[in-house]
Amino acid sequence: MAGNISAANLGAMADAHLDEGEKIDTKERVVPVSREPAPAYTDDGNYSIYLDSKITFENYAYWAKRSREVEKNIPTDDAGFAYLTKKFFGKKSDAPVVQGQDAPVMAGPSVKSTGETNGQNPTDDWGITETEWEQAQRAARTATWGSIFYLITTDILGPINVPWAISQMGFGPGAILYTVFGGMACYSGLQLWKIFVGLDSTRFPMRNYGDMAFRVFGNWARICVNVLQSFQFFLNVSLLIVSNGQGLAQMALGANGQGYLCFIAAEVVFMAAGFVFGQIRTLQRLSYLANIAIWLNIIVVIMTMVVVHQYPPNYSASFTSYGTPKGPVKTSAYWPASSTLDDKVNAMMNAVFAYGGATLFNELMAEMRRPYDFWKGFVIAEIFIYVCYIVSGMVVYGAQGQFTFNPSYQGIPNSAYNFQTLGNAISFITGVIAALLYGNIGIKVFYSVVLRDIFHLPELTSRTGKWLWVGIAPAYWALAWVVAAAIPQISNLASFVGAACILQFSYTFPPMLLVGFNVQNDAILPEEGFNPITGQAQRVDNGIKRWIRGYKKKFIWNTFDVIYSLCALSAAGLGIWASVTSMNAAFKAGKLTPFTCTNPAG
């Protein structure tokens, strides 16, 4: 989730197929073969795990273990970087999913199980075996760890805010903090991976972050996670409106500086594009464009690193947004003398923002042929992203010093108008795609969690739901524009999003969820467990005694994770305070005001 919601954060969301209604036949219902509660699907095809509150932890863990055993025998000849070669130079081809002997998954859609068996493979009223239904469920999972490397890189990579963050911290602290945050983001991602492989199965597939929170802590956790995720995507759209409004106003200025476009009017232009294209309800139609965006983003980053060494900084943009007086370029090996506590914390929150991709990791693992292999693509992607951040951040800061701007390509001066316009034009195109994806997902999450759960509105695939979308999408974009126009401060707004939302998904929630997972998993005694014949879990005790037993099993690691989670939560509070304080200080300085016509990028 890097940059100012740069083009980097696109393909993963499209390829992760977050719109479940695009993948499941909405005319079908799924019911269980056994006497256990069924994995429920709503009418619009969205997986509704919250309806399965009677399913026990032991139930999920049992079928997850069975699924992982089956997946060991699935061929992975094209699982590595051979995938990347096929992605760009060959025809797309996924290896067939082998027929496993995992336990029965689901009975036929809209039919009832007869309870009859054919040997050990029961059939439904249509004569379809349980294994055949499992085959159908597993067939939808085709992603390999090679594709996961590509998708995670696409989702997270976006170093256009890194140079500004480095300029507020200096070379040394900047390198250290990006290293620390990168390492902890990797640790948290592996925590989510451990929980996913321990609770996901073809019988009870796990689709998103909310599903994971539900299975560990219950429905209240699912609602909180989904609401925060929807809020994050909403603010992402606002950030895109600000950054692309700045870019459009810069392009209108012209090489001779004679043109002019009011900043707030430029934001309205971007919002109008959202009004029109926001009517696209399916992510699949945007997926191909979204995957191109990462390469366009890389072009902008490389161009910026080259141009900043050939031209002076954009003094006017730096003065308008940050009040930096014109003078010689200065860099610092340690914390810059002019850097305040607010500046340091906001820079750290931008670093958090740069690694914020964990929000969608569950969606990516849900698409994998072998979810256990997720760690391979993830670790390699994190290393690649880290190197890109350090290189681009140090190169641009080394050239522009205290005048480094956010986003970095808008720090190119008007004297290099052609290069400045290239960055703005490419980012405007990819920004529209990114905003459409964030808006699409954000509306669907909000509709599912609030409008469907609380107000019981019809599904989006119904005639009424489609008409509701026509009205909701423009209202969503209009509200995002109000926030963007009211807070025309990219760095501070990005810090707020990083602290309030992204930090939670990447650093606070994973260790908290893993502790909950460990406590329940380690509390299971040898004589306890799930009985697939009766469909019930056997326990010898419940309550606080059970929790203590589970916690003590991994006492050191659980304690470390609790402290880690609390520290992340404290950092979030500090980040929110710093970003709000900086916003207030910037407004008091009078250079930028809410709903201003002055372009923050000069």
Side-chain angles (χ1 to χ4, degrees), residues 25-103:
D25 187 348
T26 58
K27 296 180 180 179
E28 299 178 340
R29 289 296 188 97
V30 182
V31 296
V33 172
S34 73
R35 66 191 70 179
E36 301 163 343
Y41 287 81
T42 57
D43 293 337
D44 60 349
N46 290 319
Y47 188 76
S48 301
I49 191 62
Y50 63 92
L51 297 179
D52 298 325
S53 57
K54 294 182 180 179
I55 299 178
T56 61
F57 179 90
E58 290 85 349
N59 192 336
Y60 289 126
Y62 175 86
W63 296 114
K65 184 177 180 180
R66 294 290 298 271
S67 290
R68 302 294 88 81
E69 289 296 324
V70 171
E71 289 160 2
K72 290 180 180 179
N73 300 315
I74 294 178
T76 57
D77 295 337
D78 61 345
F81 290 107
Y83 168 86
L84 301 179
T85 303
K86 292 184 179 181
K87 180 78 174 178
F88 300 105
F89 303 106
K91 295 182 179 180
K92 185 177 180 180
S93 174
D94 291 298
V97 180
V98 297
Q99 183 172 351
Q101 297 303 316
D102 194 4

Side-chain angles (χ1 to χ4, degrees), residues 449-470:
V449 174
V450 178
L451 301 183
R452 284 280 283 158
D453 286 9
I454 299 176
F455 298 103
H456 307 292
L457 294 187
E459 63 275 8
L460 282 173
T461 53
S462 68
R463 175 183 291 271
T464 303
K466 291 177 181 178
W467 280 109
L468 286 172
W469 181 277
V470 172

Side-chain angles (χ1 to χ4, degrees), residues 2 195 200-201 205-206 212 240 267 271 285 332 343 391 399 401 432 436 440 465 474-475 484 529 542 555 559 575 588:
I195 300 170
D200 166 77
S201 65
M206 193 150 52
M212 179 176 289
L240 280 164
E267 290 185 310
M271 179 190 67
R285 297 179 182 179
S332 176
D343 295 331
V391 171
V432 171
L436 291 177
N440 187 292
N542 282 292
F555 181 81
T559 302
K588 286 183 177 180

Side-chain angles (χ1 to χ4, degrees), residues 268-493:
V268 170
V269 171
F270 192 83
M271 179 190 67
F275 276 16
V276 176
F277 297 107
Q279 294 303 319
I280 299 175
R281 291 184 297 108
T282 58
L283 293 178
Q284 191 173 13
R285 297 179 182 179
L286 296 170
S287 61
Y288 293 104
L289 289 175
N291 284 324
I292 296 173
I294 179 63
W295 306 112
L296 296 177
N297 184 70
I298 290 176
I299 290 173
V300 173
V301 171
I302 294 176
M303 179 270 294
T304 302
M305 287 193 294
V306 173
V307 173
V308 294
H309 282 274
Q310 305 299 320
Y311 293 88
N314 191 334
Y315 296 110
S316 62
S318 182
F319 180 76
T320 301
S321 290
Y322 311 127
T324 310
K326 187 175 180 179
V329 172
K330 298 179 181 178
T331 58
S332 176
Y334 195 58
W335 297 101
S338 60
S339 180
T340 65
L341 177 61
D342 293 352
D343 295 331
K344 295 172 183 176
V345 175
N346 284 327
M348 288 190 289
M349 290 304 106
N350 271 262
V352 168
F353 200 105
Y355 289 108
T359 310
L360 297 175
F361 285 175
N362 291 288
E363 281 86 344
L364 299 183
M365 287 185 278
E367 298 294 323
M368 290 192 69
R369 189 182 305 166
R370 289 174 51 172
Y372 190 85
D373 291 341
F374 173 82
W375 71 271
K376 301 176 184 178
F378 171 64
V379 171
I380 297 175
E382 286 287 314
I383 295 173
F384 176 77
I385 291 166
Y386 166 75
V387 172
C388 289
Y389 284 170
I390 292 296
V391 171
S392 64
M394 298 298 178
V395 168
V396 176
Y397 173 56
Q400 295 192 324
Q402 75 273 30
F403 303 104
T404 304
F405 195 72
N406 187 5
S408 57
Y409 60 85
Q410 290 180 359
I412 297 174
N414 293 335
S415 57
Y417 178 75
N418 292 337
F419 294 108
Q420 183 191 85
T421 301
L422 175 64
N424 282 321
I426 291 177
S427 295
F428 188 88
I429 295 171
T430 56
V432 171
I433 301 172
L436 291 177
L437 287 167
Y438 284 122
N440 187 292
I441 299 167
I443 293 173
K444 286 173 179 173
V445 172
F446 174 78
Y447 191 91
S448 174
V449 174
V450 178
L451 301 183
R452 284 280 283 158
D453 286 9
I454 299 176
F455 298 103
H456 307 292
L457 294 187
E459 63 275 8
L460 282 173
T461 53
S462 68
R463 175 183 291 271
T464 303
K466 291 177 181 178
W467 280 109
L468 286 172
W469 181 277
V470 172
I472 292 174
Y476 186 91
W477 276 81
L479 288 173
W481 171 81
V482 170
V483 173
I487 312 175
Q489 304 174 26
I490 286 182
S491 299
N492 292 331
L493 190 56

Side-chain angles (χ1 to χ4, degrees), residues 152-303:
I152 291 178
T153 303
T154 304
D155 178 37
I156 299 178
L157 181 64
I160 58 177
N161 76 325
V162 176
W164 178 85
I166 297 289
S167 73
Q168 303 301 304
M169 297 185 286
F171 285 116
I176 292 173
L177 286 173
Y178 268 92
T179 302
V180 170
F181 280 121
M184 298 309 291
C186 187
Y187 175 65
S188 295
L190 293 176
Q191 289 179 314
L192 295 177
W193 164 73
K194 181 177 180 179
I195 300 170
F196 188 92
V197 298
L199 295 178
D200 166 77
S201 65
T202 51
R203 186 179 188 86
F204 298 115
M206 193 150 52
R207 301 297 188 191
N208 50 53
Y209 216 122
D211 285 359
M212 179 176 289
F214 170 83
R215 298 189 187 190
V216 176
F217 290 119
N219 194 42
W220 67 269
R222 169 192 165 272
I223 293 174
C224 291
V225 164
N226 286 340
V227 168
L228 187 62
Q229 186 182 45
S230 182
F231 181 62
Q232 176 185 322
F233 290 148
F234 173 79
L235 292 180
N236 287 350
V237 174
S238 295
L239 274 168
L240 280 164
I241 292 175
V242 176
S243 62
N244 286 281
Q246 289 182 178
L248 191 58
Q250 262 193 348
M251 287 189 285
L253 187 62
N256 57 9
Q258 299 301 312
Y260 182 73
L261 177 63
C262 180
F263 170 63
I264 195 171
E267 290 185 310
V268 170
V269 171
F270 192 83
M271 179 190 67
F275 276 16
V276 176
F277 297 107
Q279 294 303 319
I280 299 175
R281 291 184 297 108
T282 58
L283 293 178
Q284 191 173 13
R285 297 179 182 179
L286 296 170
S287 61
Y288 293 104
L289 289 175
N291 284 324
I292 296 173
I294 179 63
W295 306 112
L296 296 177
N297 184 70
I298 290 176
I299 290 173
V300 173
V301 171
I302 294 176
M303 179 270 294

Side-chain angles (χ1 to χ4, degrees), residues 481-549:
W481 171 81
V482 170
V483 173
I487 312 175
Q489 304 174 26
I490 286 182
S491 299
N492 292 331
L493 190 56
S495 297
F496 179 82
V497 178
C501 304
I502 294 175
L503 191 146
Q504 316 308 325
F505 289 108
S506 296
Y507 301 98
T508 304
F509 293 161
M512 187 185 304
L513 289 168
L514 184 60
V515 171
F517 173 84
N518 286 338
V519 168
Q520 295 181 74
N521 191 54
D522 293 337
I524 301 175
L525 297 171
E527 61 270 25
E528 297 180 334
F530 175 73
N531 189 331
I533 298 176
T534 63
Q536 296 179 352
Q538 291 80 40
R539 292 182 180 179
V540 299
D541 59 4
N542 282 292
I544 188 67
K545 180 180 179 180
R546 188 175 187 85
W547 301 344
I548 293 174
R549 180 172 71 246

